[in-house]
Amino acid sequence: MLGNFTFHNPTKLYFGENSLENLSKELDKYGKNVMLVYGGGSIRKNGIYDSVIAELNKADKQVVELSGVMPNPTIEKVMEGVTLARKENIDFILAVGGGSVCDYCKAVAGSVYCEHDPWEYYFNNWGEMTCRWIPVGCVLTMAGTGSEMDSCSVISKHSENRKKFYYFRNPDFSILNPVYTYTVPMYHTVAGVYDIMSHILEQYLSGTDDNTTDYIAEGLMRSLIVSSRKVLGNQEDYEARSNIMWTATWALNGLLSCGKPTDWMVHMLGQAVAAYTDATHGHTLSAVSGAYYRLLIDRSEDAVMKFRRLATVVWNIVPAGKTDKEIALEGLERMEDWMRELGLAMNITDCGANLSQLEGIADACPINESGYVVLTREDVIDVLRQSL
Amino acid sequence: MLGNFTFHNPTKLYFGENSLENLSKELDKYGKNVMLVYGGGSIRKNGIYDSVIAELNKADKQVVELSGVMPNPTIEKVMEGVTLARKENIDFILAVGGGSVCDYCKAVAGSVYCEHDPWEYYFNNWGEMTCRWIPVGCVLTMAGTGSEMDSCSVISKHSENRKKFYYFRNPDFSILNPVYTYTVPMYHTVAGVYDIMSHILEQYLSGTDDNTTDYIAEGLMRSLIVSSRKVLGNQEDYEARSNIMWTATWALNGLLSCGKPTDWMVHMLGQAVAAYTDATHGHTLSAVSGAYYRLLIDRSEDAVMKFRRLATVVWNIVPAGKTDKEIALEGLERMEDWMRELGLAMNITDCGANLSQLEGIADACPINESGYVVLTREDVIDVLRQSL
């Protein structure tokens, strides 16, 4: 059954090769002062910057730029954006980049009119956007986080070795052009693919009821596997790039958690690893998945049955003559074959972690209690050790 | 690949056993004069009316009632609502009922401030809500049409033997309580189930590209088949009722047509039959499906391949040793077994149609051109004759 829930996702999405041409029309709805935010400058090389500036000019906007948003954006960088937005009296924030840039802009948009320290305030008032919001638009250049159609932001603070997860507010609109993802290097493309897969799995691998949500999740996973293999063979496969981009959006916009419990421990583990190593998000997730999922299958009969279903529906495992646990594990092995095929990090050593950091990583890893197994601190250390 | 599209669905949904308790809070956002709209009065028997009135009182609203909205609402009835809403200076329209009541309220909401004849005006200005809109909320009591999260209305005019399809605007919010569907008679429950299945199929059975949208459609169909069989055995199976209700919403809220062509000929045929017989919508769809789908498989290789995929993924047909066409047809037969199991009308005679009406029904049937085969008038007559 589906439990009680609220679903509300008002972000307007423009999808396709020509979707940027909607930008100036959308911008007409907002004030004159626009803060244009991007990362390390790759958008200047691939031409996206020029196309965006042309649309901003068409809409007759006063543009202030803020660049250098890093892959795991820090609270210090957020405060730089807040200061600039206050000084320039910004009416609208335009993110041009991947999930980090979009996350970053949401954090700035919710903090400009917030009198408190956002790092503490929004964590203590989770999911409540009580301060005035500056509207945000997103031109997406990388598929993975789903940040273009959700309210989440992940913000880091190096001095505390912490990554924190926030709910701010959804972008008002997002522009999704699959062509913009052609130039994403394969290392980051596959990281995005596994981030998407992990978003789906962390919502799918929990609960025992029959619910529509899980069937939708299975459809998205089946699509993602097909398209991820195609993009490996051709960086510029529009079919594959468009499907991956769209799957990413629906993997984390609220739909896949409707009416069911979720797990999210792979993200907790991966983010703790990233807080110590600054490794790419998707690779930290793949690095800890195998050990964590084997623990679930070893400890929980409910987990066995859900992994069994995943194995047959998504990984095409033939069940005849096998125990439920054998089927579950065979599905997991098939998934790990696919992960290796993509070139994902299969252990945290490859992410830059080492034995001496395990205690610290465990300290940085919150424990969720809604999955099949509630981990102890010893379990966390154990999963990390097996992931070395 | 996914073609270009825009997705924007801002309706807020409250789902679950206690979802009605959100009504008064939502109503606080709108003006004092509420028009409460319902159908034949079943909501007075099952207690939903009293619960809704309690929420309206809690929100301190001035309530004007309009009842008697029929299963296929007429333009004459729409104009009755328009006149009443103008006279009472209505600020908000609350639909309590199934898809027909919700469709009706959208038509009224878009017509109160429209100076033209809405029957003609909105058909000639399809998809453009240029007049001032009265906000609409929907308390859903039947699953099927998806009207709770889309902008569509189907309105009839008996004097012209026509049903017309309109786009107005989405409800501002909808309240989905699966328990409210317990008392829907099985004849109407299965009609709703097939309406949902047809919504999914009419978007799925078109195009040749690999796209994420079709994988989501497959997930929804697999869920619907499981839950429809459960509800046959137990009218009050919450798990089944909740899944059917949620599947209905996502079958027709825009997601399943993202980036791909759609067909919709079963709806065109079924609505033409209903214009002559006033038969229940879902049963008119099941009555014409078999003959139409066989025509597609006979005429189009692309259709064969898509029906083949449907057969293996959704109907669990084992492909080994069979031609593509055999697999496609075996899937269709498996689907027809399921339709008979549900007790759906399998021909238009059961819907009250007869041979002498075929020419008239064909006149009332628009031809869409985006499916695998573009029907001629002779094809329409032929499909109807084989559906007798």
Side-chain angles (χ1 to χ4, degrees):
Chain A
M1 62 171 262
L2 290 160
N4 301 335
F5 61 87
T6 302
F7 182 89
H8 186 217
N9 197 320
T11 301
K12 185 170 193 175
L13 300 174
Y14 295 101
F15 191 101
E17 285 183 277
N18 305 317
S19 48
L20 191 69
E21 68 190 22
N22 299 288
L23 179 56
S24 58
K25 188 183 65 187
E26 278 295 328
L27 289 172
D28 283 345
K29 301 175 187 167
Y30 304 98
K32 196 167 177 70
N33 297 328
V34 173
M35 186 158 89
L36 170 63
V37 180
Y38 53 98
S42 60
I43 62 164
R44 284 182 174 273
K45 289 178 211 144
N46 56 26
I48 299 172
Y49 176 87
D50 293 334
S51 308
V52 168
I53 289 291
E55 286 286 316
L56 285 161
N57 289 339
K58 203 157 124 193
D60 196 26
K61 298 296 178 186
Q62 190 74 39
V63 180
V64 176
E65 294 195 20
L66 187 150
S67 65
V69 176
M70 58 290 280
N72 293 310
T74 62
I75 186 66
E76 293 80 9
K77 187 75 183 174
V78 169
M79 294 318 292
E80 179 192 330
V82 167
T83 304
L84 184 63
R86 284 174 181 161
K87 176 170 162 260
E88 302 287 345
N89 199 19
I90 291 298
D91 299 306
F92 187 86
I93 302 178
L94 184 64
V96 182
S100 299
V101 175
C102 197
D103 277 18
Y104 174 84
C105 288
K106 287 185 267 186
V108 173
S111 302
V112 171
Y113 291 98
C114 176
E115 291 170 4
H116 317 276
D117 168 20
W119 176 255
E120 295 297 338
Y121 177 73
Y122 282 115
F123 203 72
N124 296 332
N125 296 276
W126 222 50
E128 288 174 43
M129 175 48 62
T130 42
C131 306
R132 184 177 143 198
W133 170 258
I134 298 181
V136 170
C138 172
V139 177
L140 196 65
T141 62
M142 196 180 149
T145 70
S147 190
E148 65 276 13
M149 202 193 190
D150 71 21
S151 62
C152 305
S153 284
V154 181
I155 304 297
S156 297
K157 191 172 194 173
H158 289 310
S159 62
E160 296 182 11
N161 274 329
R162 281 292 293 278
K163 268 183 141 179
K164 281 188 188 172
F165 191 85
Y166 296 88
Y167 284 117
F168 291 105
R169 190 181 284 190
N170 276 40
D172 296 79
F173 66 85
S174 287
I175 290 172
L176 280 64
N177 183 343
V179 174
Y180 291 170
T181 67
Y182 284 179
T183 52
V184 176
M186 200 44 74
Y187 182 83
H188 289 286
T189 297
V190 298
V193 166
Y194 195 77
D195 194 20
I196 302 164
M197 180 55 100
S198 192
H199 291 158
I200 304 174
L201 286 172
E202 307 225 39
Q203 298 171 91
Y204 178 78
L205 292 170
S206 48
T208 54
D209 293 345
D210 179 77
N211 63 67
T212 300
T213 304
D214 285 337
Y215 291 86
I216 299 172
E218 288 164 345
L220 289 174
M221 285 189 274
R222 293 177 56 247
S223 176
L224 181 63
I225 295 161
V226 170
S227 287
S228 65
R229 284 181 164 140
K230 278 191 201 152
V231 87
L232 270 189
N234 177 9
Q235 283 258 137
E236 304 195 356
D237 184 321
Y238 189 86
E239 185 162 275
R241 290 285 189 182
S242 63
N243 288 333
I244 292 169
M245 195 170 222
W246 195 226
T247 301
T249 300
W250 288 88
L252 198 61
N253 68 359
L255 180 62
L256 294 194
S257 62
C258 282
K260 72 181 303 287
T262 57
D263 180 344
W264 290 112
M265 276 312 299
V266 168
H267 264 70
M268 296 304 107
L269 289 158
Q271 281 171 17
V273 170
Y276 271 76
T277 62
D278 221 27
T280 300
H281 178 59
H283 289 279
T284 66
L285 304 176
S286 59
V288 299
S289 288
Y292 176 63
Y293 288 149
R294 282 189 170 74
L295 179 145
L296 293 185
I297 291 172
D298 274 344
R299 297 268 193 91
S300 158
E301 262 311 303
D302 289 337
V304 168
M305 295 315 290
K306 198 58 170 282
F307 275 93
R308 182 198 192 283
R309 174 172 162 175
L310 176 69
T312 57
V313 177
V314 175
W315 296 105
N316 302 318
I317 303 300
V318 179
K322 299 166 194 162
T323 67
D324 294 333
K325 194 167 174 181
E326 284 168 352
I327 299 163
L329 286 169
E330 197 179 330
L332 184 53
E333 285 159 20
R334 190 75 55 95
M335 184 165 99
E336 290 174 316
D337 291 342
W338 167 76
M339 289 159 70
R340 276 185 285 266
E341 197 181 324
L342 294 187
L344 288 158
M346 298 302 283
N347 57 67
I348 62 173
T349 311
D350 287 348
C351 296
N354 60 54
L355 188 63
S356 73
Q357 294 169 325
L358 297 200
E359 294 285 336
I361 295 173
D363 287 340
C365 178
I367 307 288
N368 291 344
E369 306 201 343
S370 53
Y372 290 121
V373 176
V374 178
L375 298 191
T376 63
R377 190 192 154 82
E378 290 68 45
D379 291 332
V380 171
I381 295 281
D382 204 43
V383 167
L384 292 170
R385 198 186 307 271
Q386 290 185 42
S387 304
L388 275 170
Chain B
M1 63 169 260
L2 290 160
N4 300 337
F5 62 88
T6 302
F7 182 89
H8 185 218
N9 196 319
T11 301
K12 186 170 191 174
L13 299 173
Y14 294 101
F15 191 101
E17 285 183 276
N18 305 317
S19 48
L20 190 69
E21 68 190 22
N22 299 289
L23 179 56
S24 57
K25 189 184 62 186
E26 278 295 328
L27 288 172
D28 284 346
K29 301 175 187 166
Y30 304 98
K32 198 168 177 66
N33 297 329
V34 173
M35 185 158 90
L36 171 62
V37 179
Y38 53 98
S42 61
I43 62 163
R44 284 181 174 273
K45 290 178 209 143
N46 56 26
I48 299 173
Y49 176 87
D50 293 335
S51 308
V52 168
I53 289 289
E55 285 285 318
L56 284 161
N57 289 339
K58 204 158 123 192
D60 196 27
K61 296 299 178 185
Q62 190 76 40
V63 179
V64 176
E65 294 195 19
L66 187 150
S67 65
V69 175
M70 57 291 279
N72 293 311
T74 62
I75 186 66
E76 294 81 8
K77 186 75 183 173
V78 169
M79 294 318 292
E80 180 193 328
V82 166
T83 303
L84 184 64
R86 283 175 182 160
K87 176 169 162 261
E88 302 287 345
N89 198 18
I90 290 299
D91 299 306
F92 187 85
I93 302 179
L94 184 64
V96 182
S100 299
V101 175
C102 197
D103 276 17
Y104 175 83
C105 289
K106 287 184 267 186
V108 173
S111 302
V112 171
Y113 291 98
C114 175
E115 291 170 4
H116 318 276
D117 168 20
W119 176 257
E120 294 298 338
Y121 177 74
Y122 282 115
F123 202 72
N124 296 331
N125 296 275
W126 223 48
E128 286 173 45
M129 175 49 62
T130 42
C131 306
R132 185 179 143 195
W133 171 256
I134 299 181
V136 170
C138 171
V139 177
L140 195 65
T141 62
M142 197 179 148
T145 70
S147 188
E148 66 275 14
M149 203 192 191
D150 72 21
S151 62
C152 305
S153 285
V154 181
I155 304 296
S156 297
K157 192 172 194 174
H158 289 309
S159 62
E160 296 182 11
N161 273 329
R162 281 292 294 277
K163 269 183 139 180
K164 279 188 188 171
F165 191 85
Y166 295 87
Y167 283 117
F168 291 103
R169 190 181 284 189
N170 277 40
D172 296 79
F173 65 86
S174 289
I175 290 173
L176 281 62
N177 183 344
V179 173
Y180 291 171
T181 66
Y182 283 179
T183 52
V184 175
M186 200 45 75
Y187 182 82
H188 289 286
T189 296
V190 299
V193 166
Y194 196 76
D195 193 20
I196 301 164
M197 181 56 99
S198 192
H199 292 158
I200 304 172
L201 286 173
E202 307 223 41
Q203 297 171 93
Y204 178 79
L205 292 169
S206 48
T208 54
D209 293 346
D210 179 77
N211 64 66
T212 300
T213 303
D214 285 337
Y215 291 86
I216 299 172
E218 287 164 345
L220 289 173
M221 286 189 273
R222 292 177 57 246
S223 176
L224 182 63
I225 294 161
V226 170
S227 288
S228 65
R229 285 179 163 141
K230 278 190 200 153
V231 87
L232 271 188
N234 177 10
Q235 282 258 138
E236 304 195 355
D237 184 321
Y238 188 86
E239 184 163 277
R241 290 285 191 183
S242 62
N243 288 333
I244 292 170
M245 195 170 223
W246 196 226
T247 302
T249 300
W250 289 88
L252 198 61
N253 67 1
L255 180 62
L256 295 195
S257 61
C258 282
K260 71 183 301 289
T262 57
D263 180 344
W264 290 112
M265 275 313 299
V266 168
H267 264 70
M268 296 305 106
L269 289 158
Q271 281 171 19
V273 170
Y276 270 76
T277 61
D278 220 26
T280 301
H281 178 59
H283 290 278
T284 65
L285 303 176
S286 59
V288 300
S289 287
Y292 176 62
Y293 288 149
R294 280 188 172 73
L295 178 144
L296 294 185
I297 291 173
D298 273 344
R299 297 266 192 91
S300 158
E301 262 311 303
D302 289 337
V304 168
M305 295 315 289
K306 198 59 170 281
F307 275 92
R308 183 199 192 283
R309 174 172 162 177
L310 176 70
T312 56
V313 177
V314 174
W315 295 105
N316 302 316
I317 303 300
V318 178
K322 299 164 195 164
T323 67
D324 294 333
K325 194 168 175 181
E326 283 167 352
I327 298 163
L329 286 169
E330 197 179 329
L332 184 52
E333 285 158 21
R334 190 75 56 94
M335 184 166 99
E336 289 174 316
D337 291 342
W338 167 76
M339 290 160 70
R340 277 185 285 267
E341 198 182 325
L342 294 185
L344 288 158
M346 298 302 284
N347 58 68
I348 62 173
T349 312
D350 287 349
C351 296
N354 60 54
L355 188 62
S356 73
Q357 293 170 328
L358 297 199
E359 294 285 337
I361 295 173
D363 287 341
C365 178
I367 307 288
N368 290 344
E369 306 201 343
S370 53
Y372 290 121
V373 176
V374 178
L375 298 191
T376 62
R377 190 190 155 83
E378 290 67 44
D379 292 332
V380 171
I381 295 281
D382 203 42
V383 167
L384 293 170
R385 197 186 308 272
Q386 290 184 41
S387 303
L388 276 170

